[in-house]
């Protein structure tokens, strides 16, 4: 959202305000307290009209005392590095920030007590700064690896505003078999279509997305096709949100029928996660629908499913968690998402899974069979 | 044990000396360093025993000197001299005491004396004779004698007889006492577990009533006197007869040899704990021992008869023996004595009530001291002092009941560092004393206490009680460290925090200074809080100490 990208400019102001408050308290010998949003499921709220998980009122208060003085000193130290980055436009990964902090400490022996023993320690401080200022990590110019989100379309045109204000235009129809790779700060992108786009399909498996495109999916359909590559990264989440808001086309998700996909991949894509409560607004696409694989599909298309194996630790864990999620996760508890909760319940009861690639079993001679099923399901409105 | 050997290995008295002279390694002469320690130990043990039996507060002088190269490879010639203020020895007995094996006034009496067998000092004489050619040089004077007897005693190995040479009557500047001197082959080891210092330290710890002078052949160690810290000498309780359940068949038979021509029923009644007429009735009634056996003289019994008696007794549920025969040093005396070990930060002592382990009365005492000199590396194991009947044990620790108890207590619970199944670590001395008229050793050199489950459990309980007491001090120390850490925190992070905040807010120096002062005030309050905590912990500890000082007679709470 455009409004958010302008917030980025406020971080120096926010930081200065915070520090002035700390300074004022100190001058009065009053104990300063820093409040940070509590980012966990017990502070996650879900309003079906909003569509994503939002933070509740719970705050984590850090009061300055002998035990917390170290954490506070480290926070202010890291904040200064970040403010410097924002001023010059420099960006870094968390790991780089760890090394940069080491560099400062190396050159100033007075800072020695702040030294981070390992990257976990500096990562925690960076997360704390985000929670304290209620900003995204990307807003403080700290980026993770761009992963997933490779996008194919014959209609989509992306216009990017560069840091220096110049514009770049990418016409996806000109990229041949190469995908467009979204960055994890999609707020600087403007989308348009050369022809009305009927839908956007997000496929869990990057490889399957690729196959569909190679077999002519994007030639035959006016659509956007994206590979999620497992649990969606910030780039995938922000990019999906952008597509939803700027193109106003329906978005469908196509992935495995199992508890892990439902809880960790689809939920995050649609409503964000508890760990990222403060940024779900810009990093979730509440309109996205679950196209499949649906439990009904198994019978209807006679799909090859199988029981969850004991050595499938990831799915076994997700299945176990499903009971908990159904009782405590405000997203699955809400009436609006009853259809999704029912799928989770079905998985819990039947303890089976069915992979997205099973559509290839239906007619092994026809490579476009999966495409046919997908289009048929969209037409019939067979999704949740 | 000696009696046991005599019966099962069929050693006749005349060849006893021969046997031991060939097997000196069995009784503490297995290495050059051990030879020095054993010789010293035997002489000091005897001096302490003699003083105690005659109600004399012991004052002992030890002199050890290097004279040159020894007769054996890698050995030095060493002079060891121990002088006591004891009762002295009857001149007629001198050759027996120093030159005859199994001649002892303490043998088989079931008392908690250091010496038990009548082997110790004669073995030293033999070693001196074999390596230095001179035997023992004795000066002794009993009360009322005008002059002292001075003589050299040698062992007539063939006949197990002592012989006196160069006999002389001399003036001696004390009313009574004994001086024993040996010139032997050996090596001096001062430090470490098996070192002389450990021996002297241990001996003074468990003998609070001892004044010890020593002079060692090391220019670094000046002639030293350790004054006594207690004027009460331990009362050695009356003897107790052995309990039948503690004996093996061979020992049972050997025990009868001490009695000679007495009726079997008398032997059983007099020679054992908890065997009275009712037990004899039981033996006849339930164990089916023939009545006639009890009428016979015990020296007339054959092996089958002994065996029927023995198994009958083993199968009867006899009462445990009385615990009145054990002796303790006492928490008060131990508390004073432990402070003679050097500069001690704090300590804890525990005297357990006497108890029965494996049908033998035992008493366990523990003293733990935290040393001030923290020169010891943090990860070195604690220094262990083991005692059996107040004699330091310095060899073969690994199979010892004391060592097994020490390594199976969870010391982490009391704030000590302890690697798995090992001794705890740190600058501590842990002293464990086991007293019993019937201590079972693993070997004839009396270095390893047999590790029975019951004894190990009893020692563990004592250690755990001492650990609990100690942990109060350790926790206080941890609190102090925490406070130190907090203050360091404030000093380190305070200025960094203020500087950072001021750079971001572009605050001027006046504001910076004000904020710095404010922060110091804030954190200082925290530190004061911590300090108050520490004070109240100290007060509690102080109160605890006063209580324990008053409570030497108060019984310990069971762990
Ligand atoms: N310094 C001494 N003063 C007085 N009596 C002594 C002294 N040294 C030895 N005796 C007497 O000589 C006896 C024999 O001593 P010895 O060391 O051989 O045997 P023990 O001490 O009885 O037993 P162990 O062999 O266990 O040492 C002692 O029992 C004691 O009566
Ligand atoms: Mg002796």
């Amino acid at each position: 959202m455009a409004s958010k990208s302008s917030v980025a400019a406020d971080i120096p102001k926010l930081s200065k305000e915070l520090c002035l408050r700390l300074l004022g308290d100190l001058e009065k010998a009053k104990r300063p307290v820093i409040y940070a949003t509590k980012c966990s499921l017990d502070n996650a709220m879900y309003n079906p009209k909003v569509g994503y998980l939002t933070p509740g009122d719970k705050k984590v208060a850090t009061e300055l005392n002998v035990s917390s003085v170290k954490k506070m000193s480290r926070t202010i130290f890291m904040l200064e590095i970040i403010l410097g980055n924002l001023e010059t436009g420099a960006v870094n990964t968390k790991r780089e920030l760890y090394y940069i902090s080491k560099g400062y400490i190396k050159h100033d022996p007075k800072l020695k007590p702040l030294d981070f023993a390992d990257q976990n320690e500096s990562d925690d401080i960076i997360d704390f700064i985000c929670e304290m200022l209620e900003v995204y990590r990307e807003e403080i110019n700290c980026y993770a690896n761009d992963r997933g989100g490779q996008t194919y379309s014959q209609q989509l045109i992306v216009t990017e505003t560069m840091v220096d204000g110049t514009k770049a235009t990418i016409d996806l129809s000109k990229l041949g078999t190469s995908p467009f790779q979204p960055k994890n700060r999609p707020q600087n992108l403007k989308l348009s279509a050369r022809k009305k786009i009927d839908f956007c399909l997000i496929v869990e498996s990057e490889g399957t997305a690729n196959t569909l495109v190679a077999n002519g999916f994007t030639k035959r359909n006016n659509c956007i096709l994206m590979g999620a590559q497992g649990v969606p990264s910030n780039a995938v989440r922000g990019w999906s949100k952008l597509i939803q808001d700027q193109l106003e086309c329906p978005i469908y998700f196509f992935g495995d029928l199992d508890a892990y996909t439902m809880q960790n991949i689809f939920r995050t894509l649609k409503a964000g996660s508890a760990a990222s409560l403060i940024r779900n607004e810009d990093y979730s696409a509440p309109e996205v629908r679950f196209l499949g694989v649906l439990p009904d599909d198994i019978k209807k298309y006679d799909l090859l499913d199988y029981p969850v194996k004991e050595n499938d630790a990831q799915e076994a864990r997700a299945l176990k968690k499903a009971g908990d999620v159904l009782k405590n996760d405000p997203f699955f508890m809400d009436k609006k998402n009853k259809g999704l909760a029912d799928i989770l319940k079905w998985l819990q009861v039947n303890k089976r899974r069915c992979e997205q690639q099973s559509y290839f079993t239906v007619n092994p001679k026809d490579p476009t069979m999966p495409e046919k099923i997908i289009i048929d399901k969209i037409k019939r409105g067979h999704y949740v | 044990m000696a009696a046991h050997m005599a019966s099962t290995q069929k050693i006749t008295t005349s060849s006893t000396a021969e046997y031991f002279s060939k097997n000196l390694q069995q009784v503490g002469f297995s290495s050059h360093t051990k030879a020095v320690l054993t010789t010293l130990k035997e002489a000091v043990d005897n001096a302490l025993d003699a003083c105690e039996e005659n109600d004399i507060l012991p004052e002992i002088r030890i002199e050890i000197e290097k004279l040159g190269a020894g007769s054996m490879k890698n050995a030095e010639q060493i002079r060891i001299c121990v002088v006591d203020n004891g009762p002295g020895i009857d001149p007629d007995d001198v050759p027996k005491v120093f030159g005859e094996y199994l001649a002892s006034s303490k043998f088989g009496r079931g008392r908690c004396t250091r010496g038990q067998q009548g082997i110790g000092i004669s073995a030293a004489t033999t070693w001196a004779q074999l390596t230095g050619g001179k035997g023992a040089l004795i000066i002794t004077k009993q009360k009322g004698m005008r002059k002292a007897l001075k003589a050299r005693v040698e062992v007539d190995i063939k006949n197990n007889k002592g012989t006196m040479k160069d006999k002389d009557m001399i003036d001696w500047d004390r009313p009574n006492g004994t001086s024993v001197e040996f010139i032997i082959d050996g090596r001096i080891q001062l430090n470490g577990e098996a070192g002389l210092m450990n021996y002297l330290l241990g001996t003074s710890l468990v003998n609070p009533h001892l004044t010890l002078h020593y002079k060692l052949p090391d220019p670094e160690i000046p002639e030293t006197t350790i004054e006594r810290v207690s004027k009460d000498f331990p009362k050695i309780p009356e003897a107790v007869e052995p309990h039948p359940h503690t004996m093996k068949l061979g020992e049972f038979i050997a025990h009868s040899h001490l009695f000679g021509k007495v009726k079997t029923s008398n032997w059983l009644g007099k020679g054992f704990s908890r065997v009275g007429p009712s037990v004899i009735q039981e033996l006849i009634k339930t164990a089916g021992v023939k009545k006639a056996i009890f009428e016979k003289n015990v020296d007339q019994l054959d092996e089958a008869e002994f065996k029927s008696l023995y198994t009958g007794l083993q199968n009867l549920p006899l009462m445990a023996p009385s615990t009145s025969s054990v002796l303790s040093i006492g928490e008060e005396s131990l508390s004073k004595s432990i402070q003679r070990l050097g500069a001690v930060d704090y300590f804890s002592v525990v005297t357990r009530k006497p108890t029965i382990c494996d049908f033998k009365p035992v008493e366990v005492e523990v003293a733990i001291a935290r040393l001030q000199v923290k020169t010891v590396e943090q990860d070195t194991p604690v220094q262990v002092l083991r005692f059996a009947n107040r004699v330091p044990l310095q060899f073969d620790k690994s199979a010892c009941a004391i060592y097994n108890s020490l390594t199976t207590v969870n010391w982490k619970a009391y704030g000590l560092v302890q690697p798995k199944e090992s001794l705890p670590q740190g600058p501590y001395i842990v002293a464990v004393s086991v007293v019993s008229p019937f201590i079972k050793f693993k070997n004839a050199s009396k270095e390893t206490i047999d590790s029975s489950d019951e004894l190990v459990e009893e020692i563990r309980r004592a250690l755990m009680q001492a650990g609990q007491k100690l942990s109060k001090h350790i926790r206080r120390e941890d609190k102090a460290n925490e406070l130190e850490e907090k203050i360091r925190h404030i000093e380190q992070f305070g200025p960094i925090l203020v500087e950072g905040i001021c750079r971001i807010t572009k605050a001027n120096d006046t504001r910076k200074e004000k904020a710095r002062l404010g922060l110091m005030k804030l954190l200082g309050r925290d530190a004061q809080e911590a300090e108050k905590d520490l004070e109240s912990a100290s007060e509690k500890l102080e109160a605890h100490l006063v209580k324990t000082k008053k409570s030497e007679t108060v019984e310990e709470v069971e762990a």
Side-chain angles (χ1 to χ4, degrees), chain B residues 103-297:
Chain B
S104 165
S105 54
K106 312 163 203 166
F107 181 66
R109 288 183 323 172
R111 298 186 73 189
C112 297
T113 45
R114 299 168 182 83
Q116 294 280 348
Q117 310 168 341
I119 300 170
I121 206 73
S122 313
T125 309
T126 313
W127 182 257
Q129 194 172 318
L130 292 176
T131 65
K134 273 191 185 144
L137 181 65
I138 309 301
I139 304 171
T140 189
K141 187 176 174 187
Q142 288 183 299
K143 230 183 190 136
M145 281 168 62
R146 225 165 37 77
K147 285 187 177 252
L149 166 78
K150 182 179 176 187
R152 209 140 58 76
V153 177
E154 285 183 359
V155 186
D156 174 353
I157 291 172
K158 276 262 139 15
N159 300 304
N160 186 23
K161 278 242 147 35
T163 54
M164 276 213 276
K165 290 189 174 157
D166 312 332
K167 205 171 124 180
D168 196 2
M169 296 306 283
I170 59 158
D171 288 322
W172 206 24
D173 60 355
R174 52 179 71 212
N176 51 281
T178 303
S179 163
V180 185
E181 181 184 308
F182 298 98
I183 293 171
I184 62 164
D185 266 16
R187 278 196 87 80
I188 300 229
Q189 183 188 333
L190 285 171
N191 300 310
E193 206 161 75
L196 279 173
M197 290 312 293
N198 220 3
Y199 173 75
L200 297 172
L201 212 65
T203 301
S204 54
L205 174 67
V206 293
N207 294 290
H209 62 310
L210 163 69
T211 292
L212 180 66
H213 310 275
Y214 62 81
K215 194 176 162 199
L216 300 177
D218 186 311
E220 304 269 294
I221 302 170
E223 208 176 317
T224 306
T225 296
I226 302 176
E227 293 290 347
R228 68 172 58 91
V229 286
S230 163
K231 287 206 160 98
D232 324 319
F233 33 85
K235 282 172 204 62
I236 302 184
E238 271 322 295
V240 65
E241 302 303 339
H243 192 281
H245 284 182
T246 65
M247 289 185 152
K248 299 209 175 70
L249 179 60
E251 288 164 328
F252 185 69
I253 298 172
H255 186 61
S256 75
H257 298 340
L258 294 173
F259 287 73
K261 272 196 180 90
V262 295
K263 251 185 21 191
T264 301
S265 56
N266 283 352
W267 168 57
L268 289 173
K270 287 215 184 82
F272 293 95
S273 258
R274 307 301 191 201
V275 183
S278 62
V279 171
I280 291 175
Q281 284 310 310
E282 276 294 297
L283 282 174
I284 297 166
K285 238 172 64 198
T286 58
V289 181
K290 277 197 215 89
K291 208 169 173 182
I293 293 181
F294 298 99
E295 299 303 320
K296 272 193 188 172
N297 273 351

Side-chain angles (χ1 to χ4, degrees), chain B residues 381 403 405-409 411 417-425:
Chain B
Y403 189 79
S405 309
L406 263 163
T407 52
T408 51
V409 164
W411 292 99
V417 178
Q418 181 187 27
K420 222 177 165 193
E421 282 157 41
S422 315
L423 288 177
Q425 301 179 335

Side-chain angles (χ1 to χ4, degrees), chain A residues 27-160:
Chain A
E27 284 175 321
K28 282 177 255 153
K30 195 180 144 216
R31 236 175 251 285
V33 184
I34 293 178
Y35 295 98
T37 304
K38 189 170 189 210
C39 287
S40 58
L41 199 61
D42 64 340
N43 193 36
M45 314 294 255
Y46 180 77
N47 178 342
K49 290 204 187 86
V50 174
Y52 50 84
L53 297 174
T54 53
D57 297 334
K58 287 187 189 150
K59 300 276 177 193
V60 183
T62 308
E63 193 188 60
L64 180 65
N65 55 39
V66 269
S67 319
S68 67
V69 65
K70 181 175 181 184
K71 183 180 176 186
M72 282 213 189
S73 308
R74 283 176 157 185
T75 304
I76 298 298
F77 167 65
M78 186 58 88
L79 185 62
E80 240 189 308
I81 297 177
I82 286 165
L83 290 175
N85 270 0
L86 287 172
E87 206 173 301
T88 60
V91 298
N92 289 113
T93 63
K94 280 182 171 176
R95 183 147 193 84
E96 288 157 6
L97 284 175
Y98 167 69
Y99 276 99
I100 289 170
S101 75
K102 287 279 210 198
Y104 277 114
I105 290 161
K106 193 174 143 199
H107 293 296
D108 186 351
K110 276 208 307 285
L111 299 177
K112 187 86 191 121
L114 297 173
D115 203 5
F116 296 110
D118 56 42
Q119 199 199 322
N120 285 339
E121 289 188 7
S122 63
D123 283 3
D124 285 349
I125 296 293
I126 294 167
D127 291 340
F128 181 68
I129 289 175
C130 292
E131 286 157 25
M132 171 177 91
L133 298 175
E134 299 200 347
V135 297
Y136 313 150
R137 204 181 57 232
E138 288 78 9
E139 288 178 274
I140 58 173
N141 282 13
C142 178
Y143 292 94
N145 260 350
D146 298 325
R147 178 178 56 77
Q150 277 104 324
T151 302
Y152 310 84
S153 176
Q154 294 297 313
Q155 288 75 36
L156 184 61
I157 291 166
V158 180
T159 310
E160 182 177 0

Side-chain angles (χ1 to χ4, degrees), chain A residues 16 19-20 22-23 26-27 29-31 64-66 69-70 72-73 76 80 110 113-114, chain B residues 486 489-490 492-493 496-497 500-505 507 511 515 518-519 522-523 525-526:
Chain A
K16 200 172 168 187
C19 288
L20 276 172
L22 296 182
L23 183 65
L26 285 180
E27 284 175 321
K30 195 180 144 216
R31 236 175 251 285
L64 180 65
N65 55 39
V66 269
V69 65
K70 181 175 181 184
M72 282 213 189
S73 308
I76 298 298
E80 240 189 308
K110 276 208 307 285
L114 297 173
Chain B
K486 278 187 174 166
H489 241 78
I490 297 170
Q492 281 184 335
F493 292 105
I496 298 177
L497 179 64
I501 289 175
C502 289
R503 271 198 305 273
I504 292 175
T505 54
R511 292 197 73 180
L519 175 75
L522 271 178
L523 299 183
R525 245 179 262 153
D526 290 352

Side-chain angles (χ1 to χ4, degrees), chain B residues 269-522:
Chain B
K270 287 215 184 82
F272 293 95
S273 258
R274 307 301 191 201
V275 183
S278 62
V279 171
I280 291 175
Q281 284 310 310
E282 276 294 297
L283 282 174
I284 297 166
K285 238 172 64 198
T286 58
V289 181
K290 277 197 215 89
K291 208 169 173 182
I293 293 181
F294 298 99
E295 299 303 320
K296 272 193 188 172
N297 273 351
V298 64
D299 58 339
Q300 298 297 306
L301 298 186
D302 62 26
E303 220 177 294
E305 286 166 324
F306 270 122
K307 203 167 172 180
S308 101
L309 263 180
Y310 175 80
T311 38
L313 279 169
Q314 296 311 308
N315 293 332
L316 282 185
L318 300 177
M319 235 173 108
S322 138
T323 56
S324 62
S325 61
V326 291
L327 130 178
S328 70
I329 306 162
E331 289 185 359
E332 191 186 2
S333 295
L334 261 183
S335 298
K336 287 182 192 150
S337 197
I338 201 166
Q339 301 185 62
R340 297 195 288 179
L341 298 187
V344 164
D345 261 341
Y346 47 78
F347 60 88
S348 81
V349 294
V350 165
T351 295
R352 295 273 299 171
K353 279 185 295 184
T355 185
I356 302 293
C357 292
D358 312 303
F359 291 97
K360 296 166 199 161
V362 223
E363 166 131 26
V364 177
E365 297 186 280
V366 167
I368 306 179
R370 153 70 180 248
L371 299 176
Q372 241 165 45
V373 271
K374 284 161 191 164
T375 43
V376 206
E377 297 269 325
Q378 267 305 318
D379 58 357
T380 44
V382 298
Q383 186 183 348
V384 179
L385 300 177
R386 294 180 289 136
F387 302 92
N389 284 338
R390 292 175 295 151
V391 180
L393 310 181
Q394 293 180 264
F395 298 92
D396 310 324
K397 66 171 181 206
S398 61
C400 181
I402 293 176
Y403 189 79
N404 287 341
S405 309
L406 263 163
T407 52
T408 51
V409 164
N410 178 16
W411 292 99
K412 284 184 190 152
Y414 311 123
L416 271 79
V417 178
Q418 181 187 27
K420 222 177 165 193
E421 282 157 41
S422 315
L423 288 177
Q425 301 179 335
Y428 296 88
I429 292 181
V430 181
V432 180
S433 151
V434 176
V435 172
S436 168
F438 307 107
I439 287 190
K440 190 172 171 203
F441 289 100
K442 281 230 144 146
N443 42 33
S445 65
K446 302 188 286 185
E447 291 292 349
T448 314
I449 302 176
D450 189 67
S451 226
S452 88
D453 291 349
E454 283 180 29
L455 183 58
V456 167
E457 192 45 41
E458 174 63 16
I459 300 173
R460 289 184 75 236
R461 278 164 181 263
L463 287 169
M464 288 189 293
Q465 279 175 3
Q468 275 163 13
K469 287 188 184 178
L470 196 72
S471 71
K472 297 198 176 79
H473 298 272
I474 297 177
R475 256 183 244 135
R476 183 188 167 274
E477 200 178 56
D478 285 350
K479 275 236 168 86
N481 285 340
E482 215 176 88
L483 177 67
E484 226 168 83
E485 167 92 14
K486 278 187 174 166
I487 291 170
R488 228 188 47 235
H489 241 78
I490 297 170
E491 284 166 358
Q492 281 184 335
F493 292 105
I496 298 177
L497 179 64
V498 173
E499 294 267 337
I501 289 175
C502 289
R503 271 198 305 273
I504 292 175
T505 54
K506 303 202 169 65
N508 61 25
D509 282 356
T510 350
R511 292 197 73 180
K512 193 200 278 183
E513 182 55 18
K514 213 172 153 202
R516 198 187 60 77
L517 289 174
L519 175 75
M520 287 307 162
K521 216 190 253 173
L522 271 178

Side-chain angles (χ1 to χ4, degrees), chain A residues 191-372:
Chain A
L191 309 184
S192 56
R194 50 166 75 237
K195 197 172 167 191
K196 184 172 179 315
I197 294 173
D198 296 330
F199 64 89
C200 169
L201 181 71
I202 303 171
V203 183
E204 178 180 342
S205 154
E206 187 88 48
T208 300
N210 216 341
T211 304
L212 291 173
V213 172
N215 291 341
F217 193 103
T218 47
K219 276 194 198 123
R220 284 185 288 273
N221 302 290
N222 294 339
C223 70
I224 298 170
L225 199 144
M226 187 199 309
Q229 203 182 325
V231 176
S233 64
N234 285 344
V236 174
R237 289 164 62 182
W239 176 236
S240 304
K241 160 82 174 169
L242 202 71
I243 291 171
Q244 173 192 293
D245 285 2
Q246 296 194 11
L247 298 174
E248 287 173 353
C249 64
I251 307 179
Y252 307 103
F253 173 83
F254 171 54
D256 295 344
L257 173 65
D258 60 32
Y260 185 78
T261 297
M262 182 53 74
Q263 292 169 99
N264 298 321
I265 300 179
F266 183 68
R267 207 281 307 271
T268 303
L269 195 64
K270 188 173 169 76
S273 71
S276 62
L277 285 178
I278 50 178
R279 60 167 176 234
N280 288 340
E281 181 180 358
D282 279 349
Y283 289 86
S284 64
E287 302 297 328
V288 63
R289 315 299 292 267
F290 194 77
L291 184 80
V293 179
L294 295 177
D296 291 353
D297 296 345
I298 300 177
K299 244 199 206 128
K300 183 151 194 279
Y301 304 105
D302 191 19
L303 300 179
L304 196 71
D305 67 337
Y306 58 88
V308 175
K309 294 181 200 89
E310 258 176 58
N311 57 13
D312 184 351
Q314 179 178 290
E315 180 59 8
R317 219 181 306 126
L319 258 184
K320 228 188 195 164
K321 227 182 92 190
D324 205 42
V325 159
L326 286 167
K327 265 185 262 146
N328 297 316
D329 187 322
F331 174 82
F332 285 105
M333 282 156 73
D334 196 275
K335 275 204 304 289
K336 190 186 175 197
N337 300 317
K338 183 167 180 302
L340 298 169
D342 285 345
I343 295 178
L344 255 191
K345 279 183 205 148
W346 183 91
L347 288 165
Q348 234 194 337
V349 172
N350 293 285
K351 295 196 168 47
R352 298 185 77 77
R353 64 185 298 196
C354 183
E355 288 175 282
Q356 55 204 296
Q357 291 83 359
S358 65
Y359 283 14
F360 287 88
T361 336
V362 178
N363 183 354
K365 285 201 192 114
D366 181 2
T368 65
M369 195 61 206
E371 179 184 334
K372 282 175 186 153

